[in-house]
Amino acid sequence: MSKKVPITVAHGDGIGPEIMAATLRILEAAGAALDIETIEIGEKVYLRGNTAGIEPSAWESLRRTKVFLKAPITTPQGGGFKSLNVTTRKTLGLFANVRPCVSYHPYVKTRHPNMNVVIVRENEEDTYAGIEYRLSPNVTQCLKLITKPGSEKIIRYAFEYARQNHRKKVTCFTKDNIMKMTDGLFHKLFDEIGAEYPDLEKEHWIVDIGAAKMADTPETFDVIVMPNLYGDILSDVAAQIAGSVGLAGSANIGDHAAMFEAIHGSAPRRAGQNLANPSGLLLGAVQMLVHIGQTEEAARVHNAWLKTIEDGIHTYDIFKPDVSKQKVGTKEFADAVIARIGQKPETLQAVQYAAGGGRPITHSRIEANAELTGVDVYVNWNGYRADELAVTLQQANGEGLALQMISNRGVKVWPEGMPETFTVDNWRCRFIGEKGQVTQQQTVSLLGRVAGLGLSIAKMEHLQYFDGVPGFSLAQGQ
Ligand code: NAD
């Protein structure tokens, strides 16, 4: 018997309490050694006026146990409530989201009988950093942040996961033909880190065609690693085409803590009726057992679950008269899994989990020599003719900086713009050092001169070279 491992459990809202009770019963019957601390999160906490949906005492438990098994919660309608998932992920630094999407043909209906894909999604960065601005009356902006250490962590995690789980291939999806700097960094790190794993096959797809291939022939993929936004969208697509979002669990892994859950929500209309399928949460709990090193218990639960599915004992959501044998409720489904502990599936593939190991997920920062060469000043101006704006702005030239280019929505409109180019009221005005390098004092005093012309400055970005490589993109048409 393993030593009891403390974990924090939240029973959640809607169908949450029922599927959590079923899950915990199965874990206990399989001999999982858990010391459970229960916390309250979700609707009741939100409705008490706590906009985060979680009490300070719950954080203490999470910090102590570092392992969180979470049932789905209901986020109340209306503004002001913060997403508990996003808060938990960010507060605990859960950088990796791991979602196995497996089909259980012929027992669960799917067009992809041989699908077995694990989506490893970066969880903290990209457009999900939540840094947005309204720059002008007509222009809003969301920053897409891709960092070197953040990307390195998720890519290393994907390769380590693949190796530990006897996977053969790791695929990377990005859109680096368009976002050469951000997605380009992610792709470059994938190639560099991939070289440390000669035993694994590696490939990269542009996300659009990669997603199309994944939806069409998912059996050609194995582990797929992606930045946050693509991963968010494509992990739902993958779970859905595998058969049902109701069957997938997910792990959110950080350096200091981890959270395990079903991918579906609290299904309030099904609550309290002993109808819900506990499988998503149970498979999330299997990932948790592997994480805490109880690999034998994890395999015991997982194989008993596979045998139950194979025996045609199904909840209403996956019940199909031609393959199912018995339609059961949440409790009866849990009883059926418990009755099969120690058994393995015969047609579906049985699972086996290896004990721990793996290399630590290292990451590092780049040191580079930065040289300032100019500044992009974003001004709000309600005119239409870029040459008129340029005449005004050129009055701000001086002290070694001169207007080089104006772009609007990323497209060069001055010098030599096209009259057909559609423009809005926020203009990027690029000033470059006439002799190359400039100082911050020069760019700051330029800002003063632009403001002195009566123009409204929305923001500025410094233009830098890092070890001689430009740290800024050219405008389209520049
Ligand atoms: P949902 O996943 O709760 O339900 C979608 C559909 O799937 C419904 O028809 C539901 O009946 C069915 N379903 C979901 N889980 C099932 C299960 N285990 N067994 C059988 N059927 C199941 O999504 P929704 O309706 O968009 O959201 C409901 C609530 O859940 C909202 O308040 C939402 O904010 C919340 N939510 C929470 C989480 C989370 O806590 N991780 C995730 C998604 C949604």
Side-chain angles (χ1 to χ4, degrees), residues 19 92 121 123 133 170 204 273 285 290 292 387 395 421 448:
I19 60 173
L92 298 177
R121 160 191 169 195
N123 227 357
Y133 298 99
V170 182
H204 172 270
Q273 299 160 59
V290 175
I292 61 176
D387 49 347
Q395 295 170 50
T421 305

Side-chain angles (χ1 to χ4, degrees), residues 229-252:
L229 176 62
Y230 314 139
D232 189 6
I233 298 166
L234 293 182
S235 57
D236 266 20
V237 173
Q240 181 71 33
I241 67 171
S244 166
V245 277
L247 294 183
S250 82
N252 291 273

Side-chain angles (χ1 to χ4, degrees), residues 162-451:
R163 195 178 257 173
Q164 264 182 293
N165 289 279
H166 309 292
R167 297 274 175 166
K168 295 195 169 54
K169 180 165 81 173
V170 182
T171 305
C172 175
F173 284 179
T174 71
K175 187 79 185 171
D176 65 338
N177 54 334
I178 303 293
M179 284 160 280
K180 296 188 167 70
M181 215 167 283
T182 47
D183 281 21
L185 173 63
F186 198 90
H187 184 175
K188 177 170 157 274
L189 290 167
F190 176 78
D191 289 343
E192 283 175 16
I193 295 165
E196 297 171 27
Y197 296 82
D199 48 319
L200 292 167
E201 206 185 312
K202 288 144 298 239
E203 63 178 12
H204 172 270
W205 288 97
I206 299 293
V207 61
D208 38 31
I209 188 64
K213 265 179 76 80
M214 188 194 78
D216 190 36
T217 52
E219 63 280 3
T220 60
F221 292 99
D222 197 343
V223 174
I224 315 181
V225 63
M226 284 181 259
N228 205 340
L229 176 62
Y230 314 139
D232 189 6
I233 298 166
L234 293 182
S235 57
D236 266 20
V237 173
Q240 181 71 33
I241 67 171
S244 166
V245 277
L247 294 183
S250 82
N252 291 273
I253 309 279
D255 291 326
H256 310 291
M259 172 171 86
F260 303 86
E261 60 183 347
I263 70 169
H264 60 73
S266 58
R269 283 185 304 131
R270 308 283 178 196
Q273 299 160 59
N274 191 36
L275 279 175
N277 188 345
S279 300
L281 184 60
L282 184 68
L283 293 180
V286 167
Q287 287 179 282
M288 177 189 78
L289 292 179
V290 175
H291 177 79
I292 61 176
Q294 298 189 17
T295 48
E296 277 176 33
E297 292 81 353
R300 222 177 287 148
V301 171
H302 201 159
N303 285 326
W305 178 82
L306 286 165
K307 182 81 169 83
T308 310
I309 295 295
E310 192 177 276
D311 285 347
I313 301 180
H314 295 166
T315 42
Y316 83 93
D317 54 314
I318 58 166
F319 186 87
K320 291 275 170 327
D322 45 335
V323 286
S324 305
K325 292 214 171 62
Q326 200 185 340
K327 193 191 271 187
V328 291
T330 315
K331 284 196 190 101
E332 296 71 28
F333 182 83
D335 292 339
V337 176
I338 291 168
R340 285 165 181 76
I341 282 170
Q343 297 183 31
K344 286 188 177 162
E346 282 151 31
T347 313
L348 295 172
Q349 204 180 348
V351 297
Q352 204 181 349
Y353 291 106
R359 299 193 302 187
I361 306 300
T362 55
H363 52 88
S364 62
R365 293 185 188 181
I366 304 171
E367 303 266 342
N369 181 35
E371 267 181 39
L372 188 59
T373 188
V375 61
D376 278 349
V377 185
Y378 287 71
V379 299
N380 290 340
W381 181 66
N382 216 2
Y384 288 88
R385 297 214 17 214
D387 49 347
E388 274 176 25
L389 178 62
V391 168
T392 308
L393 278 166
Q394 279 169 321
Q395 295 170 50
N397 284 353
E399 291 185 35
L401 277 158
L403 183 68
Q404 184 202 42
M405 180 271 297
I406 302 174
S407 74
N408 195 295
R409 299 195 311 160
V411 183
K412 188 190 77 171
V413 290
W414 183 91
E416 290 152 26
M418 304 269 187
E420 292 83 4
T421 305
F422 184 81
T423 59
V424 290
D425 56 357
N426 181 261
W427 306 75
R428 175 175 62 159
C429 310
R430 178 162 288 181
F431 289 85
I432 291 284
E434 287 158 331
K435 296 200 183 85
Q437 210 168 341
V438 296
T439 63
Q440 297 203 67
Q441 283 71 21
Q442 284 171 285
T443 60
V444 169
S445 72
L446 170 77
L447 288 179
R449 293 198 297 279
V450 172

Side-chain angles (χ1 to χ4, degrees), residues 116-187:
N116 188 341
V117 174
V118 180
I119 308 273
V120 179
R121 160 191 169 195
E122 200 288 320
N123 227 357
E124 295 182 295
E125 304 192 338
D126 200 347
T127 44
Y128 290 58
I131 308 174
E132 292 193 302
Y133 298 99
R134 180 170 172 183
L135 293 179
S136 74
N138 294 284
V139 179
T140 55
Q141 182 194 40
C142 173
L143 284 188
K144 175 175 164 109
L145 281 183
I146 301 282
T147 73
K148 195 256 181 188
S151 306
E152 199 179 349
K153 275 164 75 171
I154 191 71
I155 293 165
R156 268 189 205 289
Y157 187 89
F159 279 108
E160 283 301 318
Y161 178 94
R163 195 178 257 173
Q164 264 182 293
N165 289 279
H166 309 292
R167 297 274 175 166
K168 295 195 169 54
K169 180 165 81 173
V170 182
T171 305
C172 175
F173 284 179
T174 71
K175 187 79 185 171
D176 65 338
N177 54 334
I178 303 293
M179 284 160 280
K180 296 188 167 70
M181 215 167 283
T182 47
D183 281 21
L185 173 63
F186 198 90
H187 184 175

